[in-house]
């Protein structure tokens, strides 16, 4: 078959999508109606087949539920060790995502896609783990039941009476490379359940009385089949669009129903609803707004809107199409939606009317022979012509005709001037140009009048004999006829172009409004900003007053902060909003539920859940009857819901990061403190036992007492550092500034560390003219002690430690250098974090708080502290202190 040439832009887009997909892993999803149909078994069989083909297959995690035949399939397949996590006193085996990414097999098996990860994991849901594996280029096989799909969650709950807590976002299902439906008839599944092949006997008995009732299984099976069929249908339509295939492929029953402005629209819709029910088909009700129908009366327009509303209530999808040719517009739309059956109303016509004015059915039969036409007989007596409402636009109506006459008159004057330069035949072009301008500006009627006036003016003023309508040359009659025909055709085409431009302008307005809302919402960082943007934009787009209601911690609706701004709706009904939130349906003004409410309430549905309710109060109720306006309103609500969900998950991610960081610090504290406290305490207990339990000389007792004192001092220093850090973070430390000499503070610090610095050479380079500095001597001494102790701890015996102090401008700069192994490359700044150690596996004592405390003290004084490696080797710590303005010293020379 020869297909039409595909769209080059669409081909380029498809190539870009294919390139992006090539970098991403492929997801194969094994879908079942419920547990026990054999999803995991089929998945493992497919995995073993891939292994036989030489593919690197890894079992990430598989839930066998004690089924022997499923467990047997694991034999010979490499299994990734689970990550064991303690949760509420239980040790749980979880999928190890990091180990899987490090191992990076070609294919990994990750069962139970809807599983919720243990609190503290990187992702809340296992399908998010799978997403990260796919981004890393790893193919994934996974399995799930249809009741775990988010969009079907409430439907399954209504069927089975069980609310499924673990769900998977629908976009994961839709984006899967392959979906394998694993199906089993209900009777066979119940037999497997009774045989103990699904659950243990006690659990199987309970399941057969509740979830596993035959009716439930039949309904779940139909949901699985339909959801898979929907996905296949979407793939087929995408394939047809990619290859520009215009012919309809009737792989799935879909009806397209066309309604008009006549009074028999309700009958047509009800007949189509019955036909769709018999065929088990989707159905779409379309209304083609032609120029004639656009000028119809308010009565006819209201009738069309009522018919569309009835179709929606009966379960149809509705749409409004714009076009000058109803048959061509319907045929093109049917092909784009792959609707193989058209349902239209038909009234019998006879004689010349059928030949000169073919019906819509005749036109469709000629232009779309591949479509099946279903004709619903309508009463000929009920037909009525399109009545144009001329009363309201009467002033504009006459203005168009007046402008047509004025422009033709001006054109005649211009033609008279041009006639002295150009031939008479060229003057005709000027008149044709005037007709086009009038038709574009004022429409068909003024355009037709302009065509008649143009021919008459050309004859009267320019064709000999002039100033009469007499024509001497009969050839001019042909000229007049052709001129009139061309003028009328051009005028009609110009009016058609004007109509289509108006339709395009309305659609562009909707697209611009939606784009503006999306753009503003994408930049919102808080819920309050989203609410403010939503209220402002909705008010402007629909000329209404609006408000947003959000659920509280108890799932009760309350008006969100920011909704009560200028133009906001303040008198919202929380009870109506609660009903909308619970049932996820429209209610209030202009709807079938609680229509007496002064406002319309819409659920803000996001992919994961409903995020709130949008309340809208309009001045014209006809807005809720316009399908295009309602679609725009629903799309705006969906954008607001997506923005709310995005901010929610950003907050969740931030809370998770804070929680993880707090957990890391707590674990570091417990690990380090337990080690560094246990060692001296164990030594203290041993020394005390030795001192009390045997006869020892006085010298030995003295040595033991000294050792006990040293261990107690080190323990006290450790606790002191913890308390210092806690006080600094809490802001409970008050600086006692005083004018001090750095040399005295340094000397005191060195005396404290005599035993620690005994095996090191310490050199102090302090200029004699070093000025006094205002600081807290006790705290700065603690800084120097920490730096010197740190240098002695991480450098070998015999190494050199130097202290240099200089004054530069209004700062004093103190440097502590050593010639040891230096700092770990790239971790210079991290060393100032709490519980950070110079060596990750160091056996040296310490909790990693000294540098953190030192920096906090220096920053409290208004200075800075940094660390770096010296070019000649070793580490360097530098901190600065503001010098301040020293007080005037009294003159003591006399």
């Amino acid at each position: 078959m020869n297909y039409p040439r595909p769209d080059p832009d669409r081909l380029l887009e498809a190539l870009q999508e294919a390139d992006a997909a090539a970098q991403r892993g492929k997801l194969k999803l094994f879908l079942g109606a419920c547990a026990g149909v054999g999803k995991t078994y089929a998945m493992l069989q497919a995995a073993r087949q891939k292994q036989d083909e030489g593919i690197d297959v890894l079992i990430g995690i598989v839930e066998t539920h004690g089924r022997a035949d499923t467990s047997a399939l694991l034999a010979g397949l490499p299994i990734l060790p689970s990550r064991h996590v303690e949760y509420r006193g239980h040790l749980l085996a979880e999928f190890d995502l990091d180990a899987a990414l490090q191992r990076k097999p070609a294919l990994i098996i990750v069962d139970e896609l809807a599983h919720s990860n243990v609190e503290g994991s990187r992702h809340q849901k296992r399908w998010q783990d799978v997403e990260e594996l796919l981004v890393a280029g790893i193919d994934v096989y996974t399995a799930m039941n249809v009741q775990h799909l988010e969009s079907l969650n409430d439907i399954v709950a209504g069927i089975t009476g069980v609310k499924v807590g673990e769900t998977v976002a629908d976009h994961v299902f839709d984006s899967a490379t392959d979906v394998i439906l694993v199906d089993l008839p209900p009777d066979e599944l119940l037999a497997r359940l009774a045989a103990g092949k699904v659950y243990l006997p006690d659990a199987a008995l309970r399941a057969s009385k509740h979830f596993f009732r035959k009716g439930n299984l039949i309904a779940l099976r139909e949901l699985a089949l339909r959801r898979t069929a929907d996905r296949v249908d979407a793939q087929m339509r995408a394939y047809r669009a990619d290859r520009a295939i215009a012919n309809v492929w009737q792989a799935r029953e879909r009806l397209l129903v066309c309604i008009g402005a006549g009074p028999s629209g309700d009958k047509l819709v009800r007949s189509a609803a019955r036909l769709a029910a018999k065929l088990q088909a989707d159905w779409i009700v379309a209304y083609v707004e032609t120029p004639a129908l656009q000028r119809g009366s308010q009565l006819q327009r209201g009738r069309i809107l009522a018919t569309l509303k009835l179709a929606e209530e009966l379960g149809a999808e509705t749409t409004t199409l714009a076009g000058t040719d109803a048959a061509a517009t319907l045929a093109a739309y049917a092909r784009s939606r792959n609707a193989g059956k058209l349902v239209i109303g038909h009234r019998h016509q006879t004689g010349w009317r059928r030949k000169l004015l073919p019906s819509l059915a005749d036109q469709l039969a000629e232009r779309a022979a591949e479509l099946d036409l279903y004709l619903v007989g309508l009463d000929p007596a009920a037909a009525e012509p399109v009545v144009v409402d001329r009363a309201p636009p009467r002033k504009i109506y006459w203005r168009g005709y007046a402008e047509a006459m004025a422009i033709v008159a001006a054109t005649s004057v211009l033609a008279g001037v041009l006639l002295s330069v150009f031939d008479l035949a060229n003057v005709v072009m000027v008149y044709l140009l005037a007709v086009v301008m009038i038709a574009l500006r004022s429409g068909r009627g003024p355009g037709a009048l302009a065509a008649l006036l143009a021919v008459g003016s050309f004859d009267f003023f320019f064709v000999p004999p002039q100033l009469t309508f007499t024509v001497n040359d009969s050839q001019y009659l042909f000229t007049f006829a052709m001129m009139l025909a061309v003028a009328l055709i051009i005028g009609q085409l110009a009016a058609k172009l004007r109509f289509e431009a108006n339709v395009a302008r309305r659609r562009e307005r909707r697209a611009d409004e939606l784009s503006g809302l999306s753009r503003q919402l994408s930049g919102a960082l808080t819920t309050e900003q989203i609410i403010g943007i939503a209220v402002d934009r909705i008010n402007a787009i629909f000329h209404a007053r609006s408000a947003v209601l959000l659920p509280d911690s108890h799932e009760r609706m309350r008006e969100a902060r920011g909704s009560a701004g200028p133009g906001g709706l303040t008198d919202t009904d929380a009870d109506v909003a609660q009903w909308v939130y619970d049932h996820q349906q429209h209610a209030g003004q202009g709807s079938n539920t609680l229509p007496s409410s002064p406002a319309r309430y819409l659920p803000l549905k996001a992919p994961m859940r409903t995020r709130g309710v949008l309340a809208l109060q309009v001045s014209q109720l006809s807005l809720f009857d316009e399908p295009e306006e309602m679609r725009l309103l629903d799309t705006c609500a969906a954008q607001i819901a997506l923005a709310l969900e995005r901010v929610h998950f950003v907050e969740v991610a931030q809370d998770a990061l804070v929680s993880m960081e707090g957990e890391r610090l707590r674990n570091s504290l417990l690990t380090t403190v337990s080690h560094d406290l246990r060692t001296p305490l164990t030594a203290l207990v041993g020394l005390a036992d030795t001192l009390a339990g045997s006869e020892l000389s006085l010298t030995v007792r003295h040595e033991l007492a000294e050792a006990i004192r040293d261990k107690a001092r080190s323990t006290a220093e450790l606790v002191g550092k913890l308390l210092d850090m806690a006080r600094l973070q809490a802001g409970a430390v008050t600086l006692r500034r005083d004018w001090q000499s750095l040399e005295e503070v340094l000397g005191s610090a060195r005396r404290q560390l005599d035993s620690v610095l005994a095996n090191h050479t310490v050199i102090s380079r302090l200029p004699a003219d070093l000025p006094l500095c205002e600081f807290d001597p006790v705290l700065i001494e603690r800084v120097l002690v920490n730096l010197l102790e740190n240098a002695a701890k991480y450098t070998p015996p015999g190494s050199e430690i130097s202290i240099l102090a200089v004054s530069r401008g209004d700062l004093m700069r103190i440097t502590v250098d050593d010639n040891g192994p230096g700092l770990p490359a790239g971790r210079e700044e991290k060393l100032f974090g709490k519980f950070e150690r110079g060596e990750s596996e160091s056996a040296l004592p310490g909790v990693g708080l000294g540098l953190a405390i030192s920096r906090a003290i220096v920053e409290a004084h208004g200075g800075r502290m940094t660390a770096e490696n010296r070019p000649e080797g070793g580490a360097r710590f530098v901190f600065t202190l503001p010098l301040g303005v020293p007080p005037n010293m009294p003159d003591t020379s006399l």
Side-chain angles (χ1 to χ4, degrees):
M1 172 177 277
N2 293 325
Y3 294 131
R5 180 176 178 269
D7 182 6
D9 294 333
R10 183 70 188 96
L11 284 178
L12 178 60
E13 183 180 351
L15 288 174
Q16 292 173 342
E17 292 174 355
D19 183 60
Q23 308 297 324
R24 180 182 172 88
K26 295 178 176 57
L27 175 64
K28 178 176 283 190
L29 176 61
F30 292 78
L31 180 70
C34 61
V37 297
K39 303 181 302 300
T40 305
Y41 190 88
M43 180 172 62
L44 291 177
Q45 281 186 321
R48 295 188 71 87
Q49 183 178 354
K50 286 293 183 182
Q51 187 186 46
D52 294 340
E53 295 173 3
I55 304 297
D56 179 19
V57 179
L58 177 66
I59 301 297
I61 189 165
V62 167
E63 301 291 347
T64 64
H65 299 289
R67 299 163 190 158
D69 50 353
T70 304
S71 300
L73 289 175
L74 292 172
L77 291 172
I79 299 176
L80 183 73
S82 298
R83 177 175 62 94
H84 290 87
V85 182
E86 185 177 353
Y87 182 70
R88 295 182 179 179
H90 298 281
L91 197 62
L92 304 179
E94 286 289 306
F95 171 60
D96 195 338
L97 176 60
D98 291 324
L101 292 171
Q102 185 176 5
R103 167 72 164 73
K104 199 171 184 180
L107 171 64
I108 188 168
I109 312 302
V110 183
D111 200 7
E112 301 287 352
L113 184 63
H115 173 76
S116 297
N117 294 330
V118 174
E119 184 178 342
S121 301
R122 179 152 73 237
H123 300 301
Q124 289 184 323
K125 298 288 186 178
R126 185 168 288 170
W127 64 261
Q128 295 170 321
D129 294 340
V130 168
E131 180 68 21
E132 189 168 343
L133 292 171
L134 295 173
V135 171
I138 302 173
D139 293 345
V140 179
Y141 282 4
T142 187
M144 65 174 289
N145 295 324
V146 70
Q147 65 261 31
H148 294 293
L149 275 175
E150 178 65 36
S151 62
L152 301 177
N153 187 261
D154 56 340
I155 298 176
V156 173
I159 294 171
T160 64
V162 177
K163 183 73 171 179
V164 177
E166 294 181 326
T167 58
V168 174
D170 282 58
H171 70 82
V172 178
F173 177 85
D174 294 330
S175 63
T177 309
D178 292 306
V179 173
I180 307 299
L181 179 63
V182 183
D183 187 36
L184 197 65
D187 290 332
E188 292 187 25
L189 181 57
L190 290 173
R192 283 175 51 83
L193 182 67
K197 296 181 178 180
V198 179
Y199 297 124
L200 295 176
D202 292 341
L205 181 62
R206 290 194 301 271
S208 63
K209 295 180 179 179
H210 297 89
F211 191 87
F212 277 74
R213 292 195 296 266
K214 185 174 181 178
N216 292 351
L217 299 180
I218 293 173
L220 292 174
R221 189 187 187 198
E222 182 180 2
L223 285 176
L225 291 169
R226 283 187 175 275
R227 191 64 179 86
T228 308
D230 290 341
R231 186 180 186 279
V232 175
D233 182 68
Q235 288 177 328
M236 182 191 66
R237 285 190 279 120
Y239 179 87
R240 293 176 63 248
D242 290 340
R243 288 155 180 79
I245 300 173
N247 294 334
V248 174
W249 291 357
Q250 297 192 27
R252 176 174 181 169
E253 300 291 358
R254 182 175 286 115
L255 306 181
L256 177 62
V257 185
C258 178
I259 63 170
S264 302
D266 291 356
K267 177 185 177 182
L268 178 61
V269 167
R270 291 189 177 94
S271 298
R274 291 192 296 271
L275 179 61
K278 290 179 181 178
L279 297 176
Q280 293 292 303
D282 299 334
W283 60 303
I284 308 166
V285 175
Y287 158 60
V288 182
E289 190 173 53
T290 61
L293 291 176
Q294 192 182 41
R295 300 192 302 272
S297 66
Q298 288 297 325
L299 174 63
Q300 291 172 322
R301 188 163 185 82
R303 187 182 294 150
I304 292 169
L305 296 176
T307 304
L308 289 174
K309 188 173 182 180
L310 173 64
E312 288 182 346
E313 293 173 354
L314 294 176
E317 176 187 346
T318 62
T319 185
T320 301
L321 308 175
T324 56
D325 188 335
T329 303
L330 279 173
Y333 186 75
R335 294 186 182 106
S336 68
R337 294 300 303 272
N338 200 40
K341 294 176 171 53
L342 267 68
V343 181
I344 56 177
H346 179 68
R347 291 185 177 89
H348 181 64
Q349 291 181 336
T350 58
W352 64 270
R353 291 180 61 86
R354 183 171 183 179
K355 295 180 180 179
L356 296 180
L357 300 172
S359 66
L360 181 61
D362 295 331
Q363 297 178 53
L364 286 171
E366 180 180 351
R367 301 187 187 186
E370 76 276 16
L371 302 179
D372 298 336
L373 295 181
Y374 288 78
L375 304 183
V376 177
L378 303 180
D379 184 6
E384 66 175 35
V386 176
V387 179
V388 179
D389 257 348
R390 301 186 185 276
R394 188 173 184 83
K395 184 178 181 181
I396 300 176
Y397 177 85
W398 288 113
R399 179 184 298 173
Y401 284 99
E403 289 178 352
M405 290 186 288
I407 292 175
V408 171
T411 303
S412 299
V413 175
L414 177 62
V417 176
L418 295 176
L419 193 61
S420 61
V421 181
F422 299 103
D423 292 335
L424 186 62
N426 294 326
V427 174
V428 175
M429 297 294 100
V430 179
Y431 278 109
L432 291 179
L433 178 62
V435 171
V436 172
M437 292 174 56
I438 294 168
L440 282 174
R441 178 179 175 84
S442 303
R444 282 183 171 79
L449 175 63
L452 293 172
L453 292 176
V455 172
S457 299
F458 179 72
D459 177 22
F460 188 80
F461 292 109
F462 301 109
V463 175
Q466 297 176 346
L467 302 180
T468 67
F469 289 103
T470 305
V471 178
N472 292 336
D473 191 347
S474 61
Q475 291 186 359
Y476 279 111
L477 296 176
F478 178 75
T479 302
F480 296 155
M482 294 302 297
M483 181 179 174
L484 180 61
V486 171
L488 288 174
I489 292 173
I490 291 177
Q492 295 300 310
L493 291 175
K496 176 183 176 181
L497 179 63
R498 178 171 177 261
F499 166 74
E500 293 178 347
N502 289 334
V503 172
R505 192 177 300 111
R506 292 199 301 271
R507 291 180 176 175
E508 182 184 11
R509 194 268 303 177
R510 297 187 185 105
D512 287 343
E513 297 289 4
L514 188 59
S515 174
L517 175 64
S518 301
R519 185 172 57 253
Q520 286 188 306
L521 289 176
S522 65
L525 300 177
T526 64
T527 301
E528 288 75 14
Q529 290 178 341
I530 292 174
I531 301 306
I533 292 170
V535 170
D536 291 341
R537 296 293 299 183
I538 293 295
N539 291 351
I541 294 172
F542 299 101
H543 306 288
R545 297 168 59 223
S546 61
V548 175
L549 296 93
L550 299 178
D552 58 18
S553 58
H554 301 289
E555 294 295 300
R556 302 300 302 174
M557 300 309 298
R558 56 175 178 78
E559 191 168 314
R561 287 182 297 176
S563 290
L569 182 62
T570 56
D571 52 343
T572 56
D573 191 328
D575 293 332
V576 179
Q578 189 67 46
W579 188 93
V580 171
Y581 180 76
D582 294 337
H583 294 82
Q584 301 182 24
Q585 296 178 14
H586 288 221
Q589 188 182 37
S591 70
N592 293 329
T593 304
L594 304 172
S596 60
S597 176
R600 183 69 167 258
Y601 294 82
L602 298 81
L604 298 177
K605 296 181 182 179
M608 296 300 295
R609 54 165 293 180
T610 301
R611 293 291 165 188
V613 173
L614 173 66
L616 186 74
Q617 189 178 70
V618 297
S619 55
Q620 296 182 352
L621 286 177
S622 60
L623 169 73
F624 299 128
D625 295 325
E626 294 278 356
E628 295 291 338
E629 293 297 319
M630 284 305 299
R631 269 193 287 273
L632 177 61
L633 180 58
D634 288 335
T635 306
C636 290
Q639 291 290 334
I640 297 168
L642 283 173
L644 290 171
E645 186 161 272
R646 171 178 59 82
V647 170
H648 168 74
F649 281 116
V650 167
E651 294 173 351
V652 169
Q654 290 176 341
D655 292 342
L657 287 175
V658 171
S659 177
M660 290 170 63
E661 181 64 17
E663 186 71 15
R664 187 188 69 81
L665 291 176
R666 186 177 68 86
N667 291 338
S668 299
L669 173 63
L670 292 176
T671 301
T672 307
V673 172
S674 61
H675 175 270
D676 288 335
L677 282 178
R678 185 188 299 116
T679 301
L681 289 175
T682 302
L684 283 172
V685 172
L687 291 171
D689 290 342
T690 303
L691 184 62
S694 61
E695 295 293 338
L696 300 174
S697 63
L698 184 60
T699 303
V700 174
R701 287 178 177 273
H702 180 71
E703 292 175 353
L704 290 175
E706 288 290 335
I708 291 174
R709 185 183 64 181
D710 292 341
K711 294 297 182 182
R713 182 184 295 124
S714 65
T715 304
E717 290 177 356
L718 172 61
V719 175
K721 287 182 179 181
L722 294 172
L723 293 175
D724 288 344
M725 193 72 248
R727 284 196 295 268
L728 287 168
Q729 284 196 311
V733 175
T734 302
L735 298 180
R736 297 182 179 179
R737 297 176 181 267
D738 197 4
W739 292 97
Q740 298 287 336
S741 167
L742 183 63
E743 184 176 5
E744 294 181 3
V745 177
L746 176 59
S748 176
R750 290 184 59 177
R751 283 192 295 273
Q752 287 189 43
L753 299 174
D754 283 341
S755 59
V756 176
L757 300 173
N759 296 324
H760 295 75
T761 302
V762 181
I763 302 174
S764 299
R765 297 187 178 93
L766 274 64
D769 59 347
L770 189 69
L772 298 178
C773 185
E774 188 179 23
F775 55 76
D776 188 320
V778 175
L779 294 180
I780 296 302
E781 180 182 320
R782 169 54 60 187
V783 173
L784 292 170
V785 167
N786 288 340
L787 293 178
L788 292 173
E789 185 180 29
N790 192 69
K793 184 187 299 182
Y794 289 97
T795 57
S799 59
E800 182 179 288
I801 301 172
S802 63
I803 304 100
L804 172 65
V806 294
S807 60
R808 294 181 179 176
D810 58 349
L811 293 175
M812 179 181 291
R813 186 173 186 268
I814 300 96
T815 305
V816 179
D817 293 347
D818 63 57
N819 58 358
L823 304 174
R827 293 193 58 205
E828 291 87 349
E829 186 63 24
K830 289 184 178 180
L831 291 176
F832 291 100
K834 293 182 286 294
F835 308 112
E836 291 288 343
R837 306 290 298 280
E839 299 173 21
S840 59
E841 301 296 334
S842 176
L844 297 173
V847 292
L849 284 175
L851 293 179
I853 292 173
S854 299
R855 170 175 275 189
I857 291 173
V858 170
E859 290 179 348
H861 280 79
R864 294 180 64 250
M865 175 175 280
T866 59
E868 61 186 18
N869 283 309
R870 300 171 61 203
E872 60 273 22
R876 169 173 294 164
F877 290 88
V878 181
F879 69 93
T880 60
L881 294 173
L883 283 173
V885 180
N888 294 324
M889 302 298 291
D891 188 0
T892 59
S893 59
L894 296 178

